[in-house]
Amino acid sequence: MTTGVDPALLAALWRTRRPAGPPIGHTFRSTYTDVWVRFHSLPESKRYPESEDEYAVVLERYNTVLDGLFAGTDVFVVTMDWSYTPTGPAGYPTPRRELHPEGVLWWTEPDLDDPDPDFHTYTRLYADRRPWRSGCVDDLLRAVADEAVVEVFVTDTELRRIHHPYDGGADVVLATPAERDRLRERHAAWLPARTRPVFDIRPPASRSGRPATGPGL
């Protein structure tokens, strides 16, 4: 069961708790490096599941970490679309609306850096509040695993801990470095292989059509 979100209050809370940057999931790894950890979703750092058994592994890993962060609490679930104007249609079709029908528009982040206004974009974030229970966002997580939706994240209502799943893994932001270290040790088998870089750059256009790079593996 979801409950209401006050967009103005949530935006104000984000600016108070997270003044370092906007709530854009792929930026968390660089904005919160001292309290950030990354886990991979499949053995041997495989990116995309190709069978129901592999989807089960992906969901089990996601939910194990999410349960550890949020069991017994309420959370905000956040999804994203983008447009070429603040209120225009989504710039690329995704199942975001069907998978997150209770999401309320609470943040619009413009990207106006390009001198050509035809390339200006607006990232729009939608949130709902719900009691956390294991599996309650499994449909979203499956879509994330397929890169059908991007920039999804789940956070506690005080915005102290953030779980940002992406195709191939999840970035997790904790409240303190010590808490980050404990979580990293608990799930050490899911860490990126030591021989891989911490992140790499995606091809210019992801399967989601998002006009910006998201997290690498």
Side-chain angles (χ1 to χ4, degrees):
M1 177 180 178
T2 60
T3 57
V5 170
D6 184 313
L9 288 178
L10 183 54
L13 180 62
W14 183 273
R15 293 186 179 100
T16 298
R17 293 273 193 243
R18 299 289 178 183
I24 307 299
H26 75 266
T27 68
F28 296 158
R29 68 185 183 199
S30 56
T31 305
Y32 306 111
T33 53
D34 59 332
V35 289
W36 163 86
V37 63
R38 168 167 290 177
F39 299 112
H40 281 178
S41 299
L42 286 168
E44 301 180 359
S45 300
K46 184 175 180 178
R47 189 162 189 174
Y48 298 109
E50 297 180 296
S51 68
E52 284 304 312
D53 286 344
E54 289 186 336
Y55 279 107
V57 172
V58 169
L59 294 176
E60 190 273 336
R61 289 191 181 188
Y62 281 147
N63 279 296
T64 295
V65 177
L66 286 160
D67 288 347
L69 295 174
F70 304 126
T73 69
D74 278 11
V75 297
F76 293 117
V77 176
V78 179
T79 58
M80 179 280 291
D81 70 12
W82 62 272
S83 179
Y84 291 108
T85 64
T87 59
Y92 189 85
T94 76
R96 187 209 67 80
R97 186 186 297 271
E98 292 78 9
L99 293 171
H100 193 211
E102 303 298 327
V104 174
L105 177 65
W106 73 281
W107 190 288
T108 300
E109 184 68 19
D111 182 352
L112 310 178
D113 290 343
D114 197 292
D116 186 344
D118 287 344
F119 291 97
H120 293 174
T121 60
Y122 298 82
T123 297
R124 301 179 297 203
L125 300 170
Y126 304 82
D128 73 52
R129 177 172 174 164
R130 66 182 76 182
W132 174 257
R133 59 177 179 79
S134 186
C136 72
V137 292
D138 276 5
D139 288 346
L140 263 177
L141 293 175
R142 282 184 68 112
V144 167
D146 291 334
E147 205 181 356
V149 294
V150 296
E151 306 290 8
V152 172
F153 68 89
V154 181
T155 180
D156 64 281
T157 56
E158 295 300 316
L159 309 182
R160 298 189 183 279
R161 297 170 183 86
I162 304 171
H163 183 281
H164 165 51
Y166 66 90
D167 51 295
D171 289 334
V172 185
V173 175
L174 285 307
T176 66
E179 185 178 12
R180 182 271 317 273
D181 291 346
R182 289 193 296 271
L183 186 69
R184 182 166 55 191
E185 291 168 7
R186 191 176 308 138
H187 304 299
W190 304 346
L191 294 171
R194 299 300 184 188
T195 56
R196 293 178 65 87
V198 173
F199 64 89
D200 45 36
I201 302 300
R202 280 189 185 170
S206 70
R207 291 198 291 177
S208 68
R210 179 76 174 96
T213 58
L217 292 178

